[in-house]
């Protein structure tokens, strides 16, 4: 028996399938990866809001992603991360150690203008109270005095020179204090606590939480990317 058939439709689908495998699949894989890191940044931002006390947008702006490029399936890579080193310490936790003879500088709520008794501090340190803007009086001849007399002399010396800050050692701590009021009854408020040689940073696993929240959505990202390519190649049913 002999029969004839029009094979043009068959050839069209054969070519479409070949092109889809050669071009469509790598494009779908790349687009799925890129959507993953794009959505991942938004999820990470949400987790930062829930977990950390953010005093400005700096930490969020440090979250960056790099898109996957090209069509080589074995080299496709999209990355999501932070440009700031402190985010790695926040993620895994650890110990921050002093870099100078005094302890790790910890700003108080007074440094941010929120006043005593505010916990936790929610604002940035004000410009006049930043470490690089603080100038201290030279404490000549005070080292031999008892602690209380040494502190009183340092306060009077700072007031006489018009200084706004002074370094003091109290019974339980040492640090930089803000000076206010008159010479007879000056008020001191802790601005930077320098008492601790080490500070333990508890882990705040915002990236791990982001990955956990994103995992159930990953198949959908890649299925959508594959469907887009099928529509591009005019596959039936898509």
């Amino acid at each position: 028996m002999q029969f004839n058939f029009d094979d043009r439709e068959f050839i069209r689908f054969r070519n479409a399938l070949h092109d889809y495998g050669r071009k469509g699949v790598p494009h779908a894989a790349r687009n799925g990866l890129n959507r993953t890191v794009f959505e991942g940044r938004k999820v990470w931002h949400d987790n930062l809001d829930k977990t950390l006390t953010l005093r400005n947008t700096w930490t969020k702006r440090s979250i960056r992603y790099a898109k996957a490029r090209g069509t080589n399936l074995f080299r496709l890579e999209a990355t999501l991360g932070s440009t700031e080193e402190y985010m790695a310490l926040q993620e895994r936790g650890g110990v921050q150690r002093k870099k100078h003879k005094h302890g790790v500088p910890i700003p108080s709520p007074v440094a941010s203008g929120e006043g005593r008794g505010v916990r936790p501090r929610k604002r940035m340190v004000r410009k006049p109270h930043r470490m690089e803007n603080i100038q201290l009086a030279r404490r000549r001849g005070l080292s031999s005095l008892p602690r209380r007399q040494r502190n009183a002399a340092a306060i009077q010396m700072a007031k006489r020179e018009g200084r706004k800050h002074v370094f003091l050692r109290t019974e339980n701590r040492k640090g930089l204090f803000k000076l206010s009021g008159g010479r007879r009854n000056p008020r001191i408020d802790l601005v930077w606590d320098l008492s601790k040689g080490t500070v333990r940073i508890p882990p705040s696993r915002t990236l791990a939480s982001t990955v956990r929240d994103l995992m159930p959505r990953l198949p959908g990202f890649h299925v959508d990317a594959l469907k887009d390519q099928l529509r591009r190649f005019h596959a039936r049913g898509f």
Side-chain angles (χ1 to χ4, degrees), residues 165-178:
H165 299 87
V166 63
F167 176 81
L168 302 175
R169 291 177 182 268
T170 66
E171 184 176 353
N172 298 320
R173 63 177 56 177
K174 62 180 177 178
L176 299 178
F177 289 77
K178 171 188 172 184

Side-chain angles (χ1 to χ4, degrees), residues 44-92:
W44 199 351
H45 283 180
D46 290 340
N47 285 330
L48 287 172
D49 286 331
K50 296 174 184 175
T51 307
L52 303 180
T53 300
L54 300 179
R55 300 178 178 91
N56 56 23
T57 61
W58 183 269
T59 298
K60 281 188 175 181
R61 287 189 284 114
S62 79
I63 306 302
R64 311 281 180 84
Y65 64 82
K67 291 183 177 181
R69 300 186 182 278
T71 55
N72 187 328
L73 283 171
F74 299 100
R75 294 184 179 181
L76 288 177
E77 180 180 81
T79 58
L80 175 68
S82 171
T83 58
E84 296 299 322
E85 293 183 5
Y86 66 81
M87 288 298 291
L89 182 60
Q90 288 288 337
E91 188 70 21
R92 65 173 182 267

Side-chain angles (χ1 to χ4, degrees), residues 9-21:
E9 188 74 359
F10 170 79
I11 293 173
R12 186 174 72 85
F13 279 111
R14 182 195 65 184
N15 292 340
L17 183 62
H18 178 267
D19 288 342
Y20 174 71

Side-chain angles (χ1 to χ4, degrees), residues 110-113 125-134 164-165 176 178 191-192:
V110 173
S112 60
V125 174
R126 288 185 172 180
K127 187 175 181 180
H129 299 318
R130 294 175 188 169
M131 294 286 282
E132 63 270 19
N133 295 331
I134 294 177
K164 300 296 184 182
H165 299 87
L176 299 178
K178 171 188 172 184
V191 176
W192 289 91

Side-chain angles (χ1 to χ4, degrees), residues 110-148:
V110 173
S112 60
E114 295 170 89
R116 295 179 176 181
V118 176
R119 294 289 186 278
R121 180 175 58 88
K122 296 182 178 180
R123 300 176 186 170
M124 291 293 294
V125 174
R126 288 185 172 180
K127 187 175 181 180
H129 299 318
R130 294 175 188 169
M131 294 286 282
E132 63 270 19
N133 295 331
I134 294 177
Q135 295 183 346
L136 301 176
R138 295 185 178 181
R139 304 176 58 157
R140 296 174 179 173
L142 302 183
S143 58
S144 60
L145 296 175
R147 176 174 52 80
R148 289 188 177 182

